[in-house]
Amino acid sequence: DQVEVIPEHAGACRLRDDIRAAALARLHSEHAHDELTLHTHIFGYFLRRMRESISDQQRAIAEEICLNHLGELFRLIAARREWQTLAAHVAAIRAAQPQHPRHLHQIMFYAAYVAVRTQDYAHGEAVLTELLDQDEMRDDLRVQVLNALGQIDWFQTRYDRALHFYEQVQSLAHVTG
């Protein structure tokens, strides 16, 4: 009774939201470093499942779960500023050749973010600008892309341009909630 079936993925289950929230709160407070270790292991496991999957459905499920954990790793690794670790995870997932366009956008963003945070602003800006041109990109990722473009300009003391991007972030975030 602590798990629920995931209807869009046959045979898959997940913790109920209340159980998951309680477990994460406890993990954050008692074992902050363990969360990174846990997500790293789960990411690695589903990355292997992507490579070894027999059916397209198994691969799609593994890809979805793998990218979800990469998202959590991004949050944890960015807080620690371990850009080479994030770059290694991005390279590993790219090598597994994900198929879903949303995942490809997410991976492009992580790669660009690493470039920005390691002061390769030109490359990061080029990738982020390319992402902005993607019509089917999700709004939550678009907010992150615009924010990263603002950071590029801020870091290079182009404050007027940075402000322009930050205003777009605020506007889109307000519209999308």
Side-chain angles (χ1 to χ4, degrees):
D1 79 58
Q2 293 184 350
V3 297
E4 60 188 11
V5 174
I6 303 173
E8 60 271 14
H9 299 292
C13 295
R14 65 177 165 226
L15 290 175
R16 286 192 345 242
D17 287 341
D18 59 324
I19 301 296
R20 181 179 177 273
L24 282 175
R26 183 174 175 202
L27 185 61
H28 288 147
S29 66
E30 296 176 12
H31 307 284
H33 188 70
D34 290 353
E35 184 180 11
L36 178 63
T37 302
L38 181 63
H39 282 294
T40 300
H41 287 301
I42 295 169
F43 170 77
Y45 173 80
F46 283 101
L47 185 64
R48 285 188 300 280
R49 298 274 306 183
M50 278 179 66
R51 293 181 187 134
E52 299 165 358
S53 291
I54 300 168
S55 73
D56 289 344
Q57 182 181 15
Q58 286 178 334
R59 180 178 171 75
I61 292 169
E63 181 178 321
E64 182 72 30
I65 295 170
C66 191
L67 268 292
N68 285 339
H69 286 281
L70 182 58
E72 292 301 316
L73 285 169
F74 171 74
R75 179 182 58 82
L76 295 166
I77 292 169
R80 298 170 189 267
R81 300 174 189 253
E82 297 174 1
W83 309 120
Q84 295 313 106
T85 301
L86 183 56
H89 290 322
V90 168
I93 192 69
R94 276 189 169 152
Q97 300 177 332
Q99 302 297 309
H100 196 285
R102 177 172 50 91
H103 297 154
L104 297 173
H105 295 157
Q106 188 178 349
I107 293 163
M108 285 177 68
F109 171 73
Y110 296 150
Y113 199 84
V114 168
V116 170
R117 298 308 293 201
T118 57
Q119 299 180 357
D120 186 357
Y121 299 125
H123 176 68
E125 186 172 18
V127 173
L128 292 168
T129 301
E130 180 182 342
L131 266 173
L132 274 184
D133 292 338
Q134 304 296 317
D135 292 331
E136 67 277 1
M137 186 172 59
R138 291 174 35 168
D139 285 339
D140 60 331
L141 185 58
R142 190 171 299 280
V143 166
Q144 290 181 291
V145 168
L146 290 166
N147 189 61
L149 285 165
Q151 289 177 8
I152 290 170
D153 288 328
W154 184 265
F155 295 154
Q156 296 180 89
T157 67
R158 299 184 304 215
Y159 302 120
D160 289 342
R161 285 183 53 172
L163 182 60
H164 172 72
F165 284 116
Y166 293 147
E167 287 170 344
Q168 289 181 62
V169 167
Q170 180 185 17
S171 176
L172 184 56
H174 178 68
V175 169
T176 60

